[in-house]
Amino acid sequence: MALVTFMSDFGEEDHYVTVVKASLLKVNPSLQIIDISHRINPFDIAHAAYVLKGVYREFPKGSVHLVAVDPVMKGASKLIAVKVEDHLFVGTDSGLFSLISDQPIMAAVELNTLNPVASTFRAKDILAPIAANLASGQNIHELGKPLMEIQKLIPRQVKLTKREIAGNVIRVDSYGNLITNIRKDDFEKIQEVNGGAPYEVRFGREQYQKLHSAFGDVDPGECFVFFNSDCYLQIGINKGHASDLLGLRLDAPVFINFEI
């Protein structure tokens, strides 16, 4: 099955999403195109990486992921195709693809080098046809010159000690939930080292001595803290906007302290 996922910061008010899909279908009318999101914050690489990382592994290996989110810095970013974890990604060399996996890159090529096309809408005129050809069976190595490395960004790192896990809010979702970079497996490792010692989750002026298992564990208007389906610590308010009500934004510090 020829499958292409499509993610962009184009929004839904204009024709941009549809015209890119038309460009994909011109190459292969039988393509299956799955929209991931077109409401990525404009030019926001971190937002795009968070969304893409959370979903691409749910698709079959060999899927092609077209990512039309460009930071639009001075001088046009290189266009690249990258193979990671047996998935294929097409987009700009902005550092986004370095944030979606800890696994080594299997292949990377610079696009639009063999027969360069000049365009002010590169997602439609260059990236979409290439993504369609990849999904139709073309080998990534036929698309351009090999790249030894791609642009890399370094995400915020969690600090781990026997007494404390220190992390940050890495995403405020559309519900106002605060998603942190504190992972469940790190929490469980430290808890095991401490022999199951009591702990306290701290953020802003709030302190919690236990984790919840679901939104419904608390009454409407009350705060919950749990590890979400992606295994990241999440803070929210049942039927409320946690970011506004707690006064916490992107990069806000979050701590788990162990009593030892």
Side-chain angles (χ1 to χ4, degrees):
M1 175 179 63
L3 186 151
V4 175
T5 76
F6 182 23
M7 183 174 76
S8 77
D9 57 1
F10 295 163
E12 298 176 344
E13 294 82 9
D14 299 296
H15 64 288
Y16 305 137
V17 170
T18 303
V19 78
V20 171
K21 290 182 180 180
S23 185
L24 287 162
L25 294 172
K26 281 181 182 178
V27 175
N28 183 349
S30 66
L31 280 179
Q32 182 178 5
I33 305 170
I34 306 294
D35 293 299
I36 292 179
S37 174
H38 298 295
R39 294 187 177 185
I40 300 299
N41 297 330
F43 323 119
D44 192 336
I45 297 304
H47 183 192
Y50 175 82
V51 173
L52 186 60
K53 182 178 180 179
V55 71
Y56 79 85
R57 294 183 184 91
E58 303 299 324
F59 291 96
K61 289 186 176 181
S63 296
V64 177
H65 308 279
L66 172 56
V67 182
V69 180
D70 193 333
V72 191
M73 301 175 70
K74 186 176 181 180
S77 303
K78 286 187 294 190
L79 300 178
I80 60 174
V82 178
K83 187 175 184 180
V84 181
E85 296 186 28
D86 288 315
H87 287 257
L88 295 157
F89 301 87
V90 178
T92 59
D93 188 21
S94 61
L96 188 158
F97 298 132
S98 71
L99 298 174
I100 63 173
S101 175
D102 296 327
Q103 299 300 308
I105 292 172
M106 304 170 72
V109 299
E110 183 177 355
L111 306 174
N112 204 33
T113 57
L114 302 179
N115 297 293
V117 174
S119 173
T120 59
F121 195 172
R122 299 191 298 173
K124 174 180 77 75
D125 297 326
I126 303 170
L127 296 180
I130 286 172
N133 282 319
L134 271 176
S136 303
Q138 187 172 10
N139 190 298
I140 186 174
H141 298 289
E142 299 173 354
L143 298 174
K145 65 180 183 181
L147 283 175
M148 298 306 296
E149 60 180 23
I150 63 172
Q151 195 79 269
K152 292 184 179 179
L153 298 176
I154 301 174
R156 278 195 173 274
Q157 300 296 311
V158 175
K159 297 179 181 178
L160 303 171
T161 69
K162 190 174 180 181
R163 293 180 177 274
E164 183 180 75
I165 302 175
N168 299 85
V169 175
I170 59 171
R171 172 75 186 135
V172 179
D173 72 11
S174 59
Y175 290 96
N177 294 316
L178 306 161
I179 292 86
T180 77
N181 56 352
I182 297 176
R183 289 189 55 83
K184 184 177 182 180
D185 54 355
D186 287 331
F187 169 74
E188 290 176 341
K189 288 175 186 175
I190 302 298
Q191 193 175 41
E192 183 179 357
V193 168
N194 291 331
Y199 59 86
E200 181 177 78
V201 183
R202 295 191 297 110
F203 47 92
R205 298 180 180 179
E206 305 294 321
Q207 300 176 358
Y208 290 84
Q209 283 75 41
K210 71 172 185 177
L211 295 171
H212 303 102
S213 59
F215 303 96
D217 285 357
V218 300
D219 293 328
E222 291 187 351
C223 188
F224 60 81
V225 184
F226 61 38
F227 285 102
N228 62 23
S229 60
D230 293 323
C231 296
Y232 288 101
L233 188 72
Q234 177 173 321
I235 300 160
I237 292 178
N238 190 356
K239 296 186 178 180
H241 195 286
S243 179
D244 289 344
L245 294 173
L246 297 173
L248 299 177
R249 300 289 184 265
L250 195 68
D251 286 333
V254 178
F255 305 92
I256 302 179
N257 297 110
F258 295 87
E259 299 177 16
I260 58 172

